Amino acid sequence: MTITFITGANKGIGRETARRLIACGHTVLLGARDRERGEEAAAALGARFVPVDVTDDASVAAAAADVAEHEGRIDVLINNAGVQGPFGDPGDLTAADARAVLDVNVIGVVRTTTAFLPLLRRSDDPVIINVSSGMGSLAFTHDPGRSESHVVVPLYASSKAALTMLTTQYAKGLTGIRVNAADPGYTATDINGHSGSQTVTEGTDAIVALATEGPGAGTGRFIDRHGEIAWS
């Protein structure tokens, strides 16, 4: 039985990923910082709720200890928790804005990955999936034919560019662990006011594909629902 831990899984892409992976036979540990919403989602889906705030060292350590006590390992870690930050004029950004976005989207991934590595290393086929975005791609955000080029969301885009690079470094440095990034695409969720052109199910296609690959699949890849994306 594949045991999968997902951060930010009480709604949106995280919740739909949990639903789909449970349908694939995974045991899903649904991580969320909002206890009420997390417990509701877990009960509805058939997952186990694990409270976790990826911006808090103690919370992440407690989550890892909880999983160590109950499951003893994980096979798949999905770093899904994310925030958007301010839209528009970068001249209005503050250092506090930047810290708030980076603490979830980048530092939170480091914090969670480090805490869960001992549990991943107990797996026969450990996998890390970082939920990134085409908004972090230089090529996409400079291509006038793509929606990513028409949006000004500086901290989110910068954080996702950092996350994709972090993914390549993890892939090179974490021996025996597959580490890949997924771009959900422009998906209708709370983060964009449900303005996305894709359904939440379509937005989870790449994540589910990476989470259900067999042993020996590649590491250091960036994919969307249509296939592999160049690191650019």
Side-chain angles (χ1 to χ4, degrees):
M1 182 73 73
T2 301
I3 302 172
T4 299
F5 184 86
I6 310 172
T7 65
N10 64 288
K11 62 179 181 177
I13 285 171
R15 179 170 175 153
E16 179 65 3
T17 299
R19 184 192 69 79
R20 293 184 66 183
L21 290 180
I22 289 167
C24 291
H26 286 217
T27 294
V28 170
L29 309 177
L30 189 151
R33 62 182 175 179
D34 186 312
R35 178 174 289 276
E36 183 177 351
R37 290 182 178 180
E39 289 178 342
E40 179 276 327
L45 297 175
R48 186 171 81 81
F49 172 62
V50 179
V52 64
D53 179 348
V54 301
T55 68
D56 183 90
D57 288 342
S59 174
V60 173
D66 179 299
V67 175
E69 178 183 355
H70 290 89
E71 285 78 25
R73 74 169 204 278
I74 61 169
D75 302 292
V76 182
L77 170 63
I78 302 177
N79 287 308
N80 169 72
V83 295
Q84 179 178 266
F87 261 99
D89 186 358
D92 294 330
L93 295 176
T94 66
D97 292 332
R99 279 193 296 270
V101 173
L102 293 171
D103 200 19
V104 177
N105 295 3
V106 183
I107 300 169
V109 171
V110 173
R111 186 179 283 118
T112 304
T113 300
T114 299
F116 279 81
L117 272 176
L119 296 168
L120 281 162
R121 288 184 168 131
R122 297 175 187 171
S123 171
D124 293 332
D125 183 34
V127 174
I128 298 171
I129 301 165
N130 293 327
V131 180
S132 191
S133 171
M135 285 300 303
S137 164
L138 295 177
F140 287 7
T141 55
H142 285 81
D143 180 351
R146 293 194 62 100
S147 61
E148 291 91 346
S149 71
H150 304 291
V151 180
V152 179
V153 57
L155 296 177
Y156 180 80
S158 299
S159 72
K160 293 303 184 179
L163 181 57
T164 53
M165 179 56 73
L166 183 64
T167 301
T168 67
Q169 295 300 297
Y170 276 145
K172 291 177 182 179
L174 293 177
T175 304
I177 300 177
R178 296 203 309 276
V179 188
N180 294 296
D183 171 20
Y186 191 29
T187 301
T189 63
D190 286 355
I191 204 168
N192 57 38
H194 293 270
S195 62
S197 56
Q198 292 184 160
T199 68
V200 71
T201 300
E202 291 171 329
T204 58
D205 281 349
I207 305 168
V208 171
L210 289 172
T212 55
E213 292 178 319
T219 191
R221 293 169 295 151
F222 186 21
I223 75 164
D224 64 13
R225 65 190 299 258
H226 303 293
E228 194 159 340
I229 303 169
W231 290 105
S232 59

